[in-house]
Amino acid sequence: MGKRSLWMLRGTLKTFQEKWKSYRHRFVPWIALNLSKNEKTLRQVKERSKDKQVPDEEVSQTLLKLFTVLLRSHLADYGELRAAHTHFLRQVTSEENIKGWIRVSGADAMLQCMGFCVERKPSTVPSAGTGVFVTKGFVPKGATVAMYPGTVYQVFEPILLQSIRNPFVFRCIDGVLIDGNDKGISKIVYKSCSGRDRVGPFTMSDTSWLTDSPQNPLAVGQYVNNCSNEWPANVCYQEYDVPDLFPIELHRYLPNVNYRQDSRRPLRCVVLVSLRDITAGEELFSNYYTVVH
């Protein structure tokens, strides 16, 4: 092998090593191979119903509260939606509800509604890339702090091409997959499915999480790094199926969409719930569950 070929090989290996250091923090096979070294980072569950840190009703109430504030704040931008005059819209835009209200950003809405806000920033873990931090306020134990956005694939649906070199594919307990990658083919698939599912004036999912400025400030969960013995978990994943009674007017803030339109199952979302009180300045680290029989 010539010197030039050897130099190119070394450069390729160095690039791979640098990418791997970041990739491994979300790569499921790497996690599986290192369980014996990180047993304290695992949360064992027997079935989906056992993964709940807080009831689904509490998650729903959190989302309803935040999404309603976001809708009221930005309703002036949604001409078609305002023209719908649904009971829910009349209720949230009544004179009593909008009196003294001013337009706010997603982060400010989150701070007002939930008492804290989270943002993407460079991780404190060496070579881990992007992380998620509590930037303002105080997070109490049991709070919904983030959502895992992306396209939802049932166990029988194809995801091979989207999964290649993709560290953002989340596997639920029942085998459902959520592709949280905001680039490449994953981004194209999500935007296509989101545009397909529009119902009249109602947008059924949020695409702004694919940008640097998501309207829904919770939609950053794919950038929460996995915990380790050195960086213990302060949040955990919890699967959440959107209930049928969730207002259609607020679906525009849900950062998930089904891959197939004719899916008869409720829309699967995954939220991250705090395992303890978290103060401003802390980075979020998630533990991952293993199914035991």
Side-chain angles (χ1 to χ4, degrees):
M1 181 180 295
K3 290 184 178 180
R4 179 177 176 81
S5 298
L6 183 61
W7 177 82
M8 292 178 64
L9 177 61
R10 287 176 177 174
T12 301
L13 288 174
K14 184 177 180 180
T15 301
F16 174 79
Q17 289 172 346
E18 290 175 351
K19 287 184 176 293
W20 171 246
K21 287 178 181 179
S22 174
Y23 187 74
R24 67 184 186 183
H25 290 284
R26 303 183 181 91
F27 187 49
V28 175
W30 179 85
I31 294 170
L33 291 171
N34 285 269
L35 295 185
S36 59
K37 299 178 183 179
N38 295 280
E39 291 180 356
K40 295 180 181 179
T41 68
L42 287 174
R43 181 165 60 93
Q44 297 184 343
V45 295
K46 294 183 179 180
E47 55 189 70
R48 282 196 62 220
S49 61
K50 304 296 184 182
D51 86 314
K52 309 295 183 184
Q53 293 294 307
V54 298
D56 282 349
E57 292 75 14
E58 288 189 22
V59 176
S60 290
Q61 288 304 312
T62 296
L63 300 185
L64 285 169
K65 184 177 180 181
L66 176 62
F67 292 178
T68 299
V69 170
L70 292 173
L71 180 66
R72 189 182 297 135
S73 177
H74 298 92
L75 195 59
D77 300 332
Y78 308 144
E80 292 184 11
L81 186 59
R82 284 187 289 116
H85 293 299
T86 65
H87 173 72
F88 180 82
L89 286 175
R90 289 196 298 269
Q91 187 177 39
V92 301
T93 60
S94 66
E95 187 174 337
E96 179 182 351
N97 283 325
I98 65 175
K99 186 177 181 179
W101 188 256
I102 60 174
R103 186 184 180 97
V104 295
S105 66
D108 288 339
M110 188 177 186
L111 186 61
Q112 291 180 20
C113 290
M114 305 171 68
F116 62 88
C117 60
V118 297
E119 295 179 24
R120 292 175 288 186
K121 296 170 60 177
S123 176
T124 56
V125 180
S127 303
T130 302
V132 177
F133 292 77
V134 177
T135 54
K136 294 179 182 178
F138 170 80
V139 181
K141 179 180 178 180
T144 299
V145 297
M147 301 182 72
Y148 199 101
T151 305
V152 181
Y153 294 83
Q154 303 300 323
V155 293
F156 52 84
E157 293 173 344
I159 193 177
L160 177 61
L161 291 179
Q162 298 92 308
S163 67
I164 296 174
R165 298 182 65 185
N166 183 355
F168 295 103
V169 177
F170 180 92
R171 187 182 188 279
C172 297
I173 294 172
D174 58 0
V176 170
L177 301 175
I178 301 179
D179 181 5
N181 196 348
D182 56 12
K183 297 178 177 61
I185 188 173
S186 299
K187 179 177 181 179
I188 294 172
V189 169
Y190 184 91
K191 292 184 71 174
S192 175
C193 293
S194 180
R196 172 202 67 196
D197 290 350
R198 185 181 180 93
V199 179
F202 303 112
T203 301
M204 301 304 291
S205 57
D206 177 31
T207 58
S208 66
W209 68 271
L210 297 167
T211 70
D212 293 330
S213 303
Q215 285 190 336
N216 174 3
L218 292 171
V220 293
Q222 79 277 36
Y223 284 106
V224 173
N225 284 306
N226 292 319
C227 66
S228 66
N229 290 334
E230 188 175 357
W231 290 280
N234 50 19
V235 297
C236 68
Y237 298 108
Q238 177 169 315
E239 297 173 20
Y240 166 76
D241 288 342
V242 179
D244 292 337
L245 295 178
F246 198 86
I248 191 173
E249 296 87 350
L250 299 181
H251 276 242
R252 64 175 54 248
Y253 298 112
L254 291 172
N256 297 95
V257 65
N258 284 316
Y259 177 70
R260 291 181 59 177
Q261 186 178 28
D262 60 352
S263 177
R264 298 182 181 276
R265 299 188 181 188
L267 178 64
R268 172 66 53 81
C269 294
V270 170
V271 298
L272 287 100
V273 177
S274 55
L275 293 169
R276 60 169 176 81
D277 294 345
I278 307 172
T279 57
E282 289 190 65
E283 182 173 359
L284 301 182
F285 292 102
S286 62
N287 66 9
Y288 28 87
Y289 40 63
T290 179
V291 180
V292 294
H293 301 285

